[in-house]
Amino acid sequence: MIVQSIFAALFLTADLGLASQSPRADSGNGTVFDAQFSSLIQEAMDANNITGMSVGVLLPNGGVEFGAWGNRTESGETIAPDTSFGLGSLSKGFLSASLGILMQDFATGKNATALPHGVTEFNWDTKLRDLLPGEWMTEDEFSTSKADLVDLLSHVTGLPRHDVSYSPDDSPRDLVLRMRDLRAAYEFRQLLEYNNQTWTPTKRRIPFFITEHTADLIAGAGGVISSAKDMLLWARLIMNGGVDPQTNVQIIPNATVNLVTTGHSVYSNEGNELFSVMEYGLGWIRTAYRGHEVSICVPFVS
C-alpha cells in the first residue's frame, strides 16, 4: 500500500456566528498552515457556512502540525485539535479494521467464542448465511448463498440505501431479517450501491445523543467520534501497516490493512485533472492524486 499523505480534517457546521481568525497551531514548525493556506481555508469555511474546523497533518520528517478555526459552542468556546467531532462514514474504516483484528483473534485461538454450527473458521470469505443462519436472506438466491463480508462492506450486494425501511427502534437483527423483502437496485456484484444498513454490527465511541439501543444500528456505519489529534494516531497506524510506530506492536494485521485499502468495487468511473478513477475498498477509497497513489478514508457525500 502506497500512501503519500493523509489529512485528518474534521468539520462542525452550525450557525454559531463564526468570526474570521487565524489557525491556532498546536505543534510543528508552521510549514503547512502559513498565512496563505490559512486564508484559503477561511474563505472555504465562509463560503460554505462552516462554523469550526480542526485539521491535523503528518509531516515528511515524522512531525505533526495542527490547525484549528472557529467556535464549538454558542458561547464562543474555540475549536482545538483535541475537540471531538462525529466522523460520519469515516467510522467504516474502524469497523473493517476491527473485523480484521477479530478474525486474527479467532485464527490464533485468542478468541474461543463458539461459531455457528458448521462454521469452522471466521475470515473474509466466510459466507453471511453461515454466520447468520436462518437470518441472512435477500430476494436473490445467488447473493443469499454467496455473499461474504467483503461483498457487504464494499457495497456490492445490489441493495440500495432503503433508509426509510428502518427506525431507531429496530435492532441489527431486525434490519437483517427485513433485507429479504427489500428490492435490489442492481444484480449482486454488478455495481457499487452505497448502503449503510450493511455496516451495523459493532459499537465504538459514539455521540451522547445516540441512545444505547440505537447505537447498535448506527455505530458501524457512522457512529465514531474522535479528534484531529486522535485521527493522526489512526493515520500513522494505517500508514505503518497496522504497527504502532511508538511501541512497534502490530495492532491491526498487515493483511487487513492491505485488504481494506485495496479497491474491491468502482466508486467513480471517471477521473479528472486531479484524481484518477476511484475504487472503493472496505471503508476506504483508493485513487491517484496527480499521479501519486493514495488511500483515503472519507465520508460519503450523495
Side-chain angles (χ1 to χ4, degrees), residues 90-114:
L90 271 76
S91 306
K92 292 178 171 63
F94 288 85
L95 173 56
S96 58
S98 299
L99 283 171
I101 294 172
L102 182 61
M103 292 173 187
Q104 178 77 4
D105 287 347
F106 270 97
T108 59
K110 184 176 180 179
N111 191 323
T113 303

Side-chain angles (χ1 to χ4, degrees), residues 50-270:
I50 295 175
T51 296
M53 179 189 298
S54 179
V55 181
V57 179
L58 295 177
L59 302 176
N61 63 6
V64 298
E65 189 172 330
F66 296 99
W69 297 259
N71 301 325
R72 65 185 181 91
T73 66
E74 294 181 357
S75 60
E77 294 179 82
T78 56
I79 296 288
D82 59 357
T83 298
S84 294
F85 293 81
L87 299 189
S89 284
L90 271 76
S91 306
K92 292 178 171 63
F94 288 85
L95 173 56
S96 58
S98 299
L99 283 171
I101 294 172
L102 182 61
M103 292 173 187
Q104 178 77 4
D105 287 347
F106 270 97
T108 59
K110 184 176 180 179
N111 191 323
T113 303
L115 293 168
H117 178 72
V119 179
T120 58
E121 58 182 359
F122 174 48
N123 56 41
W124 295 105
D125 297 321
T126 306
K127 304 306 179 187
L128 294 174
R129 71 171 183 178
D130 296 330
L131 288 173
L132 302 170
E135 297 180 359
W136 171 258
M137 181 185 296
T138 69
E139 65 173 3
D140 174 58
E141 173 58 30
F142 184 57
S143 62
T144 296
S145 61
K146 298 299 183 181
D148 56 30
L149 286 168
V150 172
D151 297 317
L152 204 67
L153 302 189
S154 59
H155 301 293
V156 293
T157 62
L159 287 172
R161 301 173 75 106
H162 284 299
D163 286 339
V164 297
S165 68
Y166 60 97
S167 74
D169 295 326
D170 286 325
S171 67
R173 185 173 184 271
D174 294 331
L175 266 66
V176 173
L177 292 175
R178 195 174 294 127
M179 285 182 183
R180 66 193 65 187
D181 300 317
L182 300 179
R183 183 67 59 86
Y186 301 104
E187 292 185 4
F188 179 53
R189 295 175 181 164
Q190 179 183 3
L191 290 172
L192 180 148
E193 180 67 19
Y194 204 86
N195 185 342
N196 281 321
Q197 292 192 56
T198 58
W199 287 79
T200 59
T202 190
K203 293 183 184 179
R204 286 284 161 179
R205 292 173 58 192
I206 56 175
F208 70 91
F209 53 82
I210 296 179
T211 65
E212 187 70 15
H213 180 74
T214 307
D216 289 332
L217 296 180
I218 195 63
V224 176
I225 61 173
S226 191
S227 67
K229 278 192 171 182
D230 284 348
M231 288 301 288
L232 280 196
L233 297 176
W234 169 247
R236 274 179 162 165
L237 181 66
I238 295 298
M239 294 175 72
N240 204 36
V243 176
D244 185 334
Q246 293 184 330
T247 64
N248 206 35
V249 173
Q250 187 84 43
I251 305 298
I252 306 171
N254 183 258
T256 294
V257 175
N258 290 332
L259 179 74
V260 302
T261 57
T262 295
H264 297 279
S265 53
V266 178
Y267 182 84
S268 174
N269 59 10
E270 293 184 1

